[in-house]
Each structure stands twice: as C-alpha cells, then as structure tokens.
C-alpha cells in the first residue's frame, strides 16, 4: 500500500512561484512501472492531470496548460516528487493532489488520466491572487 503526503501549498500573488512536495511511503523499492503524477482540481471543475514522472527513468509528461511554467522532478533517495510552479496565474488556483501508479505499462502514466492511478494523497491548496 502506497501512501502519499503533499505539502508546499499556500497563497501567492500572480507571477510568483511555489514548490509542492509529495512524499511517498509504503514501498521499499520500485520497478519500471512506478510513476507519480500531480493533478489539480478547482472548485466546480473536474480534476485534471498536470504532470507525471517515472521513478525509474525520470521521464516526464506535462500538460500543455502548464508546459513551460511547471516542472516535475523526483528525488528517489527521499521518496519525494516535486512540482515547481513558476509564473503562477489565478487560473492555477486549485487543490493539488499527487497520485501513484505502480503496475502496468509506464506509458499510461503520461496520459494523466486519473483512472490509471490507484493511490492518492489528501491534497494541498494553492491560491493565486491577481
């Protein structure tokens, strides 16, 4: 059973930056199927995928809505995945969740479809003011 805990959310002005962290636990090692992704959900909107990273190769997938502004990275020694968010816009305000996928084809990770992720954190709130 994989557990995920997000942190790093908060309030920031437009144009600012935040770095979110997702600490994973419940596994000793990982294989090529393991990946962790970030999703976000604003009030009244569907949850949407933001970025994903494979824990092994470190390959990433980024949503076009944040490409060029957000970067996903991982530190396997710390079992932590980061989401660096720059040039934040009020439209980025949402609850941000990290999610894990630990089996099956790694390519499914980069689709950023939430149904492919079995483990979820509780979320961290990001509020961007204009």
């Amino acid at each position: 059973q994989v557990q995920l805990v997000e942190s790093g959310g908060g309030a920031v002005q437009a144009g600012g930056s935040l770095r979110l962290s997702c600490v994973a636990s419940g596994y000793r090692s990982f294989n090529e199927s393991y990946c962790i992704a970030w999703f976000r959900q604003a009030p009244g909107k569907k949850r949407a995928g933001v970025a994903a990273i494979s824990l092994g190769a470190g390959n990433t997938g980024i949503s076009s809505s944040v490409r060029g502004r957000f970067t996903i990275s991982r530190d396997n020694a710390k079992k932590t995945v980061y989401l660096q968010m720059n040039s934040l816009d009020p439209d980025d305000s949402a609850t941000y969740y990290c999610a894990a996928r630990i089996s099956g084809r790694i390519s499914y990770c980069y689709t950023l479809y939430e149904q492919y992720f079995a483990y979820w954190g509780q979320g961290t709130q990001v509020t961007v003011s204009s």
Side-chain angles (χ1 to χ4, degrees):
Q1 187 80 1
V2 175
Q3 295 88 43
L4 304 168
V5 178
E6 305 96 333
S7 63
V12 64
Q13 290 191 327
S17 299
L18 282 174
R19 189 177 78 160
L20 306 183
S21 299
C22 172
V23 178
S25 61
Y27 63 93
R28 291 185 179 180
S29 61
F30 56 85
N31 59 34
E32 65 276 6
S33 295
Y34 277 53
C35 83
I36 290 180
W38 286 96
F39 291 78
R40 66 184 182 183
Q41 186 170 24
K45 294 187 177 181
K46 293 178 63 177
R47 188 155 55 186
V50 175
I53 188 166
S54 63
L55 297 190
N59 295 325
T60 63
I62 304 288
S63 167
S64 59
S65 64
V66 302
R67 189 171 295 132
R69 299 188 299 122
F70 291 13
T71 304
I72 189 169
S73 62
R74 89 257 192 258
D75 183 335
N76 289 331
K78 296 181 178 180
K79 292 186 176 180
T80 301
V81 170
Y82 303 99
L83 184 69
Q84 178 66 44
M85 307 187 295
N86 299 327
S87 302
L88 283 163
D89 182 88
D91 287 342
D92 296 316
S93 297
T95 300
Y96 283 72
Y97 301 89
C98 65
R101 174 178 169 84
I102 65 171
S103 63
R105 292 184 175 183
I106 190 62
S107 58
Y108 282 73
C109 173
Y110 310 120
T111 65
L112 296 174
Y113 291 162
E114 60 177 302
Q115 62 263 39
Y116 292 145
F117 292 82
Y119 304 96
W120 292 82
Q122 294 300 306
T124 185
Q125 180 67 38
V126 172
T127 303
V128 184
S129 59
S130 57

